[in-house]
Amino acid sequence: MQPIRLGLVGYGKIAQDQHVPAIRANPAFELVAVATQGQPCAGVENLQSLGELLENGPHVDAIAFCTPPQGRFGLVRQALAAGKHVLVEKPPCATLGEAMALVDLAREQGASGLYAWHSRYAPGIEAARDWLASRTLQSVRIDWKEDVRKWHPGQAWIWQPGGLGVFDPGINALSIATHLLPLALFVESAELRVPDNCQSPIAASIKMADARQLDIRAEFDFDHGHDELWSIEIRCAEGVLRLDNGGALLSIDGVRQAVSEEGEYAAVYRHFQQLIKDKASDMDLQPLRLVADSFFVGSRTLVEPFYD
Amino acid sequence: MQPIRLGLVGYGKIAQDQHVPAIRANPAFELVAVATQGQPCAGVENLQSLGELLENGPHVDAIAFCTPPQGRFGLVRQALAAGKHVLVEKPPCATLGEAMALVDLAREQGASGLYAWHSRYAPGIEAARDWLASRTLQSVRIDWKEDVRKWHPGQAWIWQPGGLGVFDPGINALSIATHLLPLALFVESAELRVPDNCQSPIAASIKMADARQLDIRAEFDFDHGHDELWSIEIRCAEGVLRLDNGGALLSIDGVRQAVSEEGEYAAVYRHFQQLIKDKASDMDLQPLRLVADSFFVGSRTLVEPFYD
């Protein structure tokens, strides 16, 4: 079988660290072009923009989008209109409306789309899903607490309107929880704590439920310098499942379980390959919808100003 | 043809003033039961709850929901699960996630659903759509400015988390604009002005666009005591269309046009009747999605406290 000829748009840190190594390690893909205005990518044709790539670049079957979510909507639309399959980094778009419209457009075009919620491919997730499938769920508790100064030093965009604040890491937790749980989740209430010199929350408490009234609570904290944790604990009638380190570690009733050894982005691209083969899409809106609804119905409390 | 046997849930002001008169004026419907915990509705069976209506009430084919949007999701889900058609007052649900889930459920159940954006049935709207259909759009300007003390005296819920603030009337303008314009709208930016003793905005400026980059701006003001206005002005290459009084009046280049004489809710129920006949649904998410995205990406400015 011929490899899928892939273009990539936005050759920044996540593309360099994760996407390009995962693509090059997967013989089903051939990276043939990169559109970037910064540092060029070695060994492929580099172009100034998506428009130039589509017009003057080598033929591609699919395009991976690693530019920031602001402005990505028009680019992905352009690629879909040109008949390309698309892989879109998280969060897919600046607004839920944009993300919803791309789902419709991919369907209309018969293209394969993937909203790449990469945390869903963390090592412990598949084993967790398998274990949960036959269990009786009782409650879910998410703790996602890290030090923004360490992970996003000087990144003012996080705090601006449309920046996700603590939901930037938090959306990863929501992407895992929605992948693990059998029914859709709904925001019942949210408390957003916003530094009084910022627009986006530095901490949040979210209460969610599904149609069976499963109690799901999330605590997000972005100003947590000591003992960072990224954990999801699911209490079932049969025992307690716990994911730690963002899904890298899995334990059941305190006993460490065997997990996958495949990297997150290796699994992302393997999934994309399968979607293209199956002429299918996986453009799940749910994590972004939970964030938008948290902003929509959440109460806001001003807290002390944030200085980087 | 047998009339559609209708139940109504939530016999408050909007039900008494609008729904019940419109239902009784339409021979295609027969109002047979009302679920309410307040004042009973004369001439029909009154029950304490939707559950009691479904279990012990007379048979109904369809149910109209006039309870507040908070808590409505579970009720509408219950009605759909029981195989009923549903008409849902605006805004349909407390969150976008809930509203999206009901669309899927209605489809799965093969039921007819109507999210009743009543302002879309204002007298001037159909004539405006007809005129716009063949015109070249240039820009859209929405002004929705009223005195909250006059229209919602003492209604604290408007200012609480999940209350829409000025988007409570503003969503009517958005429901009209999305009905008039041919392409989907997306929020580009929003400024929300929030009284410092409230959670919801008292005024908002929203910049939207469609896929052709049509410039759409809305100004919502809830603290506008003099010269209230509810207008939408659409500039086209061929002239300027203007709706006033929430869509009751239509003018083209300043010349008043003939409009429909049918009341909003008469048209709502005529539409619902047609949907049931056609086994179709009209559950448009777009107005609520634009509100949720405005809260999601909007910047907030604190303004002086609001006292009723």
Side-chain angles (χ1 to χ4, degrees):
Chain A
M1 214 174 94
Q2 289 291 314
I4 298 159
R5 293 173 61 89
L6 190 75
L8 183 145
V9 179
Y11 190 59
K13 186 167 166 50
I14 193 74
Q16 294 167 31
D17 291 356
Q18 300 290 348
H19 287 259
V20 170
I23 295 162
R24 288 189 162 148
N26 184 337
F29 289 98
E30 184 186 0
L31 183 65
V32 296
V34 166
T36 181
Q37 289 171 6
Q39 180 190 335
C41 177
V44 303
E45 191 165 338
N46 285 264
L47 300 117
Q48 286 292 308
S49 67
L50 173 64
E52 211 195 308
L53 189 159
L54 291 171
E55 212 163 309
N56 305 320
H59 170 77
V60 297
D61 306 303
I63 300 181
F65 288 88
C66 306
T67 54
Q70 281 73 19
R72 207 187 268 158
F73 176 50
L75 296 172
V76 179
R77 203 166 50 189
Q78 195 180 350
L80 285 169
K84 309 304 177 189
H85 307 298
V86 296
L87 180 156
V88 186
E89 249 298 341
K90 71 116 229 197
C93 293
T95 64
L96 192 56
E98 293 176 351
M100 290 166 76
L102 293 179
V103 173
D104 293 338
L105 186 56
R107 190 190 306 116
E108 286 161 27
Q109 292 286 332
S112 290
L114 173 60
Y115 285 166
W117 302 109
H118 63 80
S119 295
R120 290 183 171 175
Y121 307 88
I125 306 297
E126 274 313 297
R129 272 167 67 96
D130 288 347
W131 188 84
L132 287 166
S134 58
R135 264 59 186 197
T136 303
L137 305 178
Q138 292 179 330
S139 67
V140 178
R141 164 80 190 213
I142 299 168
D143 288 282
W144 225 253
K145 301 181 175 183
E146 64 182 56
D147 183 357
V148 63
R149 292 177 179 82
K150 175 169 153 191
W151 298 100
H152 296 284
Q155 292 181 25
W157 61 267
I158 287 223
W159 305 109
Q160 288 162 4
L164 298 184
V166 74
F167 285 87
D168 183 73
I171 202 169
N172 292 335
L174 297 173
S175 76
I176 295 173
T178 50
H179 189 57
L180 292 177
L181 298 174
L183 300 179
L185 307 195
F186 303 99
V187 175
E188 299 206 320
S189 62
E191 289 176 41
L192 312 180
R193 293 181 281 288
V194 183
D196 72 7
N197 61 343
C198 296
Q199 286 287 342
S200 304
I202 195 164
S205 306
I206 309 149
K207 186 172 176 329
M208 293 167 281
D210 68 7
R212 290 188 200 130
Q213 299 306 315
L214 182 66
D215 182 58
I216 303 147
R217 286 165 201 261
E219 291 291 333
F220 297 160
D221 187 359
F222 223 169
D223 191 15
H224 195 82
H226 57 95
D227 298 332
E228 295 180 299
L229 84 163
W230 299 271
S231 77
I232 298 179
E233 193 171 273
I234 304 184
R235 304 189 82 84
C236 302
E238 300 84 355
V240 178
L241 176 146
R242 188 178 164 100
L243 288 159
D244 275 295
N245 289 17
L249 304 178
L250 170 66
S251 63
I252 312 276
D253 290 331
V255 179
R256 184 69 56 82
Q257 306 291 307
V259 298
S260 163
E261 290 182 8
E262 191 178 31
E264 286 187 10
Y265 281 83
V268 166
Y269 276 91
R270 189 166 49 75
H271 185 41
F272 189 42
Q273 167 194 351
Q274 192 65 40
L275 289 169
I276 294 171
K277 183 159 172 260
D278 296 345
K279 300 188 190 304
S281 280
D282 178 4
M283 302 172 82
D284 188 7
L285 297 164
Q286 207 178 173
L288 192 63
R289 161 171 89 56
L290 291 169
V291 175
D293 272 338
S294 295
F295 278 72
F296 180 26
V297 304
S299 66
R300 287 182 176 235
T301 310
L302 290 183
V303 299
E304 59 189 37
F306 175 81
Y307 299 106
D308 214 350
Chain B
M1 216 175 95
Q2 289 291 314
I4 298 159
R5 294 173 61 87
L6 190 74
L8 183 144
V9 180
Y11 189 57
K13 186 167 167 51
I14 192 76
Q16 295 167 31
D17 291 354
Q18 301 290 347
H19 287 259
V20 170
I23 294 162
R24 288 190 163 149
N26 184 336
F29 290 97
E30 184 186 0
L31 183 64
V32 296
V34 166
T36 181
Q37 289 170 5
Q39 180 190 335
C41 177
V44 302
E45 192 164 338
N46 285 264
L47 300 118
Q48 286 292 309
S49 67
L50 172 65
E52 213 196 306
L53 190 158
L54 291 171
E55 212 162 309
N56 305 320
H59 170 77
V60 297
D61 306 303
I63 300 181
F65 288 88
C66 306
T67 54
Q70 281 71 20
R72 205 187 269 157
F73 176 49
L75 296 173
V76 179
R77 203 166 50 189
Q78 196 179 350
L80 286 169
K84 309 304 177 190
H85 307 298
V86 296
L87 181 156
V88 186
E89 248 298 341
K90 72 117 233 199
C93 294
T95 64
L96 191 58
E98 294 176 352
M100 291 167 76
L102 292 180
V103 174
D104 293 339
L105 186 55
R107 190 189 307 118
E108 286 161 26
Q109 292 287 332
S112 290
L114 173 60
Y115 285 165
W117 302 109
H118 63 80
S119 296
R120 290 182 172 176
Y121 307 88
I125 306 297
E126 274 312 297
R129 272 166 66 97
D130 288 347
W131 189 84
L132 286 167
S134 58
R135 265 59 186 196
T136 304
L137 306 177
Q138 291 178 331
S139 67
V140 178
R141 164 79 189 213
I142 300 167
D143 286 283
W144 225 253
K145 301 181 176 183
E146 64 182 55
D147 183 357
V148 64
R149 292 177 180 82
K150 175 169 152 192
W151 298 99
H152 296 283
Q155 292 182 25
W157 60 268
I158 286 223
W159 305 109
Q160 288 162 4
L164 297 184
V166 75
F167 286 87
D168 183 73
I171 201 169
N172 293 335
L174 297 173
S175 77
I176 295 173
T178 50
H179 189 56
L180 293 177
L181 299 174
L183 300 179
L185 308 195
F186 304 99
V187 175
E188 298 206 320
S189 61
E191 288 177 41
L192 312 179
R193 292 181 282 288
V194 183
D196 72 6
N197 61 343
C198 297
Q199 285 288 340
S200 304
I202 194 165
S205 307
I206 309 149
K207 187 173 177 325
M208 293 167 281
D210 69 7
R212 289 188 200 130
Q213 299 306 314
L214 182 66
D215 182 58
I216 303 147
R217 285 163 202 262
E219 290 292 332
F220 297 160
D221 187 0
F222 223 168
D223 191 15
H224 196 81
H226 57 94
D227 299 332
E228 294 181 299
L229 84 162
W230 300 270
S231 77
I232 299 179
E233 193 171 274
I234 305 185
R235 304 189 82 84
C236 303
E238 300 85 355
V240 178
L241 177 145
R242 188 178 164 101
L243 288 159
D244 275 296
N245 289 16
L249 305 178
L250 170 65
S251 63
I252 311 276
D253 289 331
V255 179
R256 183 70 56 83
Q257 306 290 308
V259 298
S260 164
E261 290 180 8
E262 191 178 30
E264 286 187 11
Y265 281 83
V268 166
Y269 276 90
R270 190 166 49 75
H271 185 41
F272 189 40
Q273 166 196 351
Q274 192 64 41
L275 289 169
I276 293 171
K277 183 159 173 260
D278 296 345
K279 300 187 189 307
S281 281
D282 177 6
M283 302 172 81
D284 188 8
L285 297 164
Q286 207 178 174
L288 192 63
R289 161 173 88 56
L290 290 170
V291 175
D293 272 338
S294 295
F295 278 72
F296 180 26
V297 304
S299 65
R300 287 181 176 235
T301 310
L302 289 183
V303 299
E304 58 190 37
F306 173 81
Y307 299 106
D308 215 350

